[in-house]
Amino acid sequence: MTDAASTTMSATLAADRESAPTDFRARVGAFELRWSGDAPASLSVPTSTHAGRPGVGLVQVFTAVEQRARTSQAYWRSALGERLRVQGSEVTTDEEASCAIVVQTDAVSGIEVRTTVTAPLGARAVRVEHEVRNGGRDTVVLTAVSSATVGFGRSQDDLDDVVWGTAASEWLAENRWSETSLRSLLPDIALALHGQDARGHAAVTSHGAWSSGEHVPCGYLAREDGEALAWQIETSAGWHADLSQTRDGGVLSLLGPTDLEHQFAHELLPGETFSVVPVAIAASPAARDGAITELTRYRRWLRGPARDQDLPVVYNDFMNTLMGQPTTEQLLPLIRRAADAGVEVFCIDAGWFADPAIGDWWSTVGEWREASTRFADGGLRRVIDEILALGMEAGLWLEPEVVGIDSPAAKLPDEAFFQRFGRRVQEDRRYHLDFRHPSARAHLDATVDHLVADYGISYLKLDYNINPGAGTDHHATTPADGLLAHTRAFRDWLERVQQRHPALRIENCSSGAMRADYALLAVTHLQSTSDQQDYRLYPPVAASAPMSILPEQCGNWAYPARDMSDEETVFTLVSGLSGRLYLSGFLDELRPAQRARIAEAVALHKGLRDQLTDAVPFWPLGLPTWDAATVCLGLHTTDGDLLFVWDRDAAATAFELPGVHGEVDVLFPADAVNGRAWRLQPTEAGCAVATPAGLGARVLRVHHG
C-alpha cells in the first residue's frame, strides 16, 4: 500500500471512549489491535469469543540472552515481548485493503517492532508482518520471533469442544487432513487450582526447504458452535505452529524458523532490521469451510496482478509418459494429439538437456543446454516449432536451484552454493545454489533469457527435488538463517524474471507439492498438486488441495492410458477437472472413444475455468481420509455449485451428499459410460447418489432456485 493511494481513517493512538483512557484500539477489517500503557498489542476479532483474545501479545521475541518471562515450552510470554509498548499507530485504507501499522519498543533492549496488519476488503482475514529493528547499543541475536501469537477462547472450558485441523503431507500423499480434539493435545490439568498457566505445548513443524513436505503450512481451530480460526504461514523455509493453554483459554503461535526446531538465529547489529516471516489469519462463524472461504479470498488478494493471468490447458509429457526421456520421435505424435484435444500449452518435461547415452542424468543437471543427440533433424528447435505451428505455446522443465556434482555448472564459485562448515552441501549427488550470490542468479538469468529469446518458451515448470537440510551457514548466523535468506532471494528472482518476461508463466513444482506455500504461490501461476501416478489414489489429494491452494492454481494431473476402461478414463479426467486440468499420458496410443472423452473434458474445462477465479471450496462429505471409498469436493461458483465426486468402492454404492439442495445433474461425462448411469435423487437432507459397481467419478452441477 502506497502513501499516495491511502487515506487516513484514524489518528495515532486514538483512545476507545468506551474504555479507560489507557485502553487503545485500532480496527482493521473484521479484526482489532488492542493495547494499553502497560500491555503490548494483541489481535482479536471483537465479534468473536473464539478468534483472538486481548492480553495475548501479538509478537513474541526470543533472543540468545532472554527467552521466556516464565518457564514453559510454548512460544508465548517471551520476556522481551511482554515488555513491548506501543509508541505510535496509524490506520489507512485504499480500494483493496485497510492497513494498521503499530510501532512497539522495548526500553530494556532497544528492540523496536513495526507491525503491519493488512485486511483485504471483502475477506475476514488479515496478513500480519513484522520488522524488528535493533535500536539499542548492543548486538542482539534473535532466536525466534512469532509471526502472530493470538489467544482463542475466553476460559479453560472453551477448549473442551475445539478441534485442531492440520494436514500431514509427503511425496505422493499430499494434503492428508485430520482433526484432533484439542483436549487430546492439551489435557485439562486444573490450572485454576495451581494458580498458573500451563507449561506444555503441542505443535506441527516443517524442517528444511520442503515447506509442505511434512505438514501443509496451513491449519485451523474450530469450535463446536461454528466459530473457526484458520491460518497459513508464508515461507519456503522452516516454520512452526505452536499451541498452548492458559487459565484464560488457548494460545496459538505461528512462527518461521526457530532456534530449537530449525537451528535458527539471526545476529542483529545496532541499527539493523530483520523481516519476520508473514502469516495470514482468517476468522468465520461458519465453521471450517467458512474460514477457508475467507483464506481463499485473501489468497486472491495476495496474488495481486497475477490473479488476472489467463488459465490455459497444459499438457506435460512426464507423468506416466516419457518420464524424463523425451525425443523428437516420441514428442511429435504427442504434440499433434494434444493440439487435437484443444491443449493450449505443451510442456516438455525433464531430460531435454541430457545426452541419452548418459542414462541416469540426475547428477549432470545444471547447465540447461539442449542435448542435440535427443532431437534428430533440427534439434529441440524443430520440436518447439511444431508446438507453435499447431497453435500451442511451448514450455520446458527446469530445476533452477540445483547443480549436479557432474555438471559443468558445478564450476561456479563455492560462494554460489549452500555451505556448511566451509564445504559445499551435497544432497543425492547434487549441490544447492544460493540465490543470494550474484553468480547463481546470473547463471539462471542467462538460462531463462536464452530459452525465451532463442526457443520462444513462454511456460516454465520449475521443479525442486532435493531437501538440503538445515540450510547454509555461509554469510549467515546459522544454517536456518541462510536458508530463509536464500528462499527470499529466490522469490525475488522469480519476480524479476517475470518483470523481464511478462508473458512468461511459471509453474511451482517441487516433487509434486513439497513446497506449496504462498511465499511462492503468490508470485507463480500453477501448482502441481502431486507426483502420484496411480489415478485411483489421486482423488483425496485433488479434493483436499483447495484447503491450502487456490482452485485456479491446483494443477491436478489427468493421465489417460490405453489400458484404462472408459470408466477409468473418466475417473482420471474428473481428477483433472476438479482444479486446473493438467494433462499427460500417451495420447497418440488412445482409443478414439478415449480421445473424444479428453476433448470433451478440455472443452468443459475451458467453459468452466473463468468461474474458478471466484470459486470457493466446500466439502459436503468432509475432508477425505486417504482410503475413503467416496470423495467429494464442492466449489461454490457464480453460476451454481460444482461437485466432483469419486466412487472408489468396487461394489455398487449408495450415499448422500448432505446440504446439497437444488436441481442436480451430471455435467461430465455428458452421456452415460457404457450405459452405466449414476442415479441422483433429492432428499430432505441433500442429494442421494447411487452408483453402479466398479470405479467411477462424475462432475455434477447444482442449480439453485
Side-chain angles (χ1 to χ4, degrees):
M1 181 184 301
T2 63
D3 291 338
S6 61
T7 57
T8 300
M9 290 187 66
S10 65
T12 301
L13 295 177
D16 181 351
R17 296 181 180 179
E18 297 179 0
S19 304
T22 56
D23 187 18
F24 300 93
R25 303 182 186 190
R27 190 68 179 263
V28 54
F31 287 74
E32 180 180 73
L33 284 162
R34 188 170 177 175
W35 65 94
S36 69
D38 57 2
S42 62
L43 183 70
S44 61
V45 177
T47 58
S48 172
T49 58
H50 175 64
R53 183 172 69 251
V56 177
L58 175 60
V59 56
Q60 302 295 324
V61 182
F62 301 84
T63 73
V65 172
E66 286 190 290
Q67 295 288 301
R68 294 159 184 83
R70 187 172 181 85
T71 295
S72 83
Q73 298 182 82
Y75 282 100
W76 89 287
R77 289 188 68 178
S78 63
L80 199 157
E82 292 286 283
R83 296 195 303 262
L84 289 174
R85 295 296 180 266
V86 173
Q87 305 301 312
S89 71
E90 184 179 53
V91 179
T92 60
T93 191
D94 64 17
E95 65 276 5
E96 288 215 342
S98 59
C99 177
I101 297 174
V102 173
V103 177
Q104 302 182 86
T105 60
D106 168 34
V108 176
S109 66
I111 286 292
E112 176 186 285
V113 181
R114 180 185 177 89
T115 297
T116 303
V117 179
T118 308
L121 299 183
R124 289 172 54 89
V126 289
R127 188 175 206 236
V128 183
E129 304 166 87
H130 307 296
E131 186 175 80
V132 180
R133 178 179 175 273
N134 184 357
R137 296 180 178 180
D138 299 323
T139 296
V140 174
V141 177
L142 303 173
T143 56
V145 183
S146 70
S147 302
T149 299
V150 295
F152 58 93
R154 294 293 185 269
S155 70
Q156 278 189 267
D157 291 343
D158 284 346
L159 306 188
D160 293 347
D161 61 356
V162 173
V163 295
W164 174 234
T166 58
S169 191
E170 66 173 280
W171 185 58
L172 309 182
E174 298 83 353
N175 305 316
R176 302 191 320 277
W177 285 86
S178 62
E179 289 186 346
T180 304
S181 165
L182 200 62
R183 277 299 177 215
S184 69
L185 302 171
L186 304 174
D188 187 344
I189 50 179
L191 294 176
L193 175 65
H194 295 84
Q196 298 184 44
D197 294 330
R199 298 182 183 182
H201 73 145
V204 289
T205 305
S206 170
H207 302 91
W210 276 354
S211 56
S212 52
E214 296 172 272
H215 304 278
V216 172
C218 173
Y220 60 90
L221 288 159
R223 201 164 66 184
E224 199 171 75
D225 65 358
E227 288 278 353
L229 183 153
W231 53 268
Q232 71 177 27
I233 302 176
E234 297 168 6
T235 182
S236 302
W239 58 266
H240 184 78
D242 196 81
L243 287 171
S244 57
Q245 61 176 323
T246 76
R247 287 164 289 174
D248 298 323
V251 175
L252 169 68
S253 277
L254 307 174
L255 306 99
T258 67
D259 177 19
L260 187 60
E261 284 78 20
H262 307 98
Q263 303 180 42
F264 174 81
H266 181 83
E267 185 179 63
L268 206 58
L269 299 178
E272 289 186 337
T273 60
F274 172 74
S275 295
V276 181
V277 165
V279 299
I281 300 174
S284 173
R288 176 204 62 215
D289 289 5
I292 297 303
T293 290
E294 303 303 335
L295 267 187
T296 300
R297 292 168 177 157
Y298 162 84
R299 290 167 185 150
R300 291 196 174 108
W301 165 83
L302 184 65
R303 295 190 71 216
R307 62 179 175 258
D308 297 324
Q309 291 175 325
D310 56 4
L311 308 176
V313 176
V314 180
Y315 175 92
N316 180 293
D317 66 39
F318 184 81
M319 194 72 82
N320 292 346
T321 314
L322 303 186
M323 301 296 292
Q325 299 293 343
T327 64
T328 300
E329 181 182 11
Q330 291 173 306
L331 284 168
L332 291 180
L334 294 175
I335 292 167
R336 291 161 191 152
R337 286 302 186 189
D340 290 343
V343 166
E344 294 158 308
V345 174
F346 190 102
C347 183
I348 301 170
D349 208 275
W352 58 270
F353 42 79
D355 188 326
I358 295 175
D360 179 8
W361 44 253
W362 187 260
S363 67
T364 68
V365 301
E367 190 177 25
W368 310 122
R369 298 287 166 168
E370 76 167 90
S372 57
T373 50
R374 279 195 182 274
F375 305 106
D377 302 325
L380 179 60
R381 180 75 248 187
R382 177 194 170 192
V383 176
I384 290 175
D385 283 345
E386 180 72 6
I387 294 170
L388 300 176
L390 290 173
M392 296 181 290
E393 297 181 48
L396 280 179
W397 178 97
L398 281 180
E399 195 170 356
E401 293 160 89
V402 302
V403 171
I405 60 174
D406 299 318
S407 170
K411 295 178 181 178
L412 287 168
D414 286 341
E415 292 78 13
F417 295 93
F418 276 26
Q419 297 183 55
R420 296 286 302 277
F421 305 105
R423 300 185 65 182
R424 291 187 189 185
V425 172
Q426 186 181 142
E427 169 77 2
D428 194 5
R429 298 171 290 151
R430 290 177 166 190
Y431 302 125
H432 195 295
L433 285 170
D434 187 337
F435 269 60
R436 295 175 297 168
H437 197 276
S439 294
R441 296 193 303 272
H443 172 59
L444 269 301
D445 280 339
T447 295
V448 173
D449 293 350
H450 161 65
L451 295 177
V452 172
D454 297 343
Y455 291 95
I457 297 300
S458 58
Y459 184 96
L460 287 175
K461 175 182 177 180
L462 300 188
D463 214 336
Y464 189 65
N465 288 307
I466 66 169
N467 190 340
T472 174
D473 58 19
H474 184 64
H475 289 317
T477 309
T478 62
D481 186 37
L483 176 61
L484 178 61
H486 159 76
T487 62
R488 288 171 164 172
F490 179 65
R491 176 196 156 110
D492 290 344
W493 176 78
L494 287 173
E495 291 188 282
R496 288 194 298 271
V497 163
Q498 293 175 84
Q499 288 165 2
R500 279 203 322 277
H501 304 290
L504 186 65
R505 300 182 190 89
I506 293 180
E507 174 189 336
N508 185 46
C509 181
S510 43
S511 281
M514 298 293 92
R515 194 170 62 172
D517 60 73
Y518 267 88
L520 293 177
L521 284 169
V523 296
T524 53
H525 179 75
L526 186 71
Q527 173 68 57
S528 173
T529 55
S530 186
D531 272 356
Q532 178 54 251
Q533 292 176 250
D534 188 332
Y535 67 97
R536 294 162 296 191
L537 297 180
Y538 214 119
V541 175
S544 299
M547 280 287 292
S548 57
I549 304 169
L550 284 171
E552 61 267 33
Q553 289 185 286
C554 289
N556 293 332
W557 291 90
Y559 29 68
R562 184 175 179 82
D563 61 359
M564 286 183 178
S565 68
D566 291 342
E567 195 68 79
E568 290 167 341
T569 301
V570 167
F571 190 96
T572 189
L573 288 170
V574 170
S575 295
L577 287 167
S578 64
R580 286 284 303 286
L581 179 58
Y582 199 2
L583 280 171
S584 193
F586 286 106
L587 305 185
D588 55 320
E589 297 179 357
L590 299 180
R591 303 184 301 276
Q594 290 177 297
R595 291 200 294 270
R597 224 32 121 185
I598 293 173
E600 179 191 349
V602 169
L604 175 62
H605 184 66
K606 289 179 178 179
L608 296 176
R609 60 186 171 187
D610 288 345
Q611 299 176 37
L612 287 178
T613 58
D614 293 312
V616 293
F618 66 103
W619 292 268
L621 297 176
L623 292 167
T625 59
W626 184 247
D627 57 356
T630 307
V631 177
C632 179
L633 165 67
L635 293 178
H636 294 303
T637 79
T638 54
D639 191 28
D641 294 343
L642 297 173
L643 297 174
F644 305 89
V645 186
W646 298 263
D647 173 20
R648 300 194 287 180
D649 198 321
T653 307
F655 55 91
E656 188 168 64
L657 299 175
V660 174
H661 298 288
E663 181 185 348
V664 183
D665 56 35
V666 175
L667 193 59
F668 178 83
D671 56 310
V673 180
N674 298 327
R676 294 161 45 88
W678 283 30
R679 297 192 305 277
L680 309 173
Q681 182 69 37
T683 67
E684 186 175 336
C687 178
V689 181
T691 68
L695 202 76
R698 296 292 185 268
V699 181
L700 309 180
R701 166 85 80 183
V702 184
H703 303 272
H704 296 297

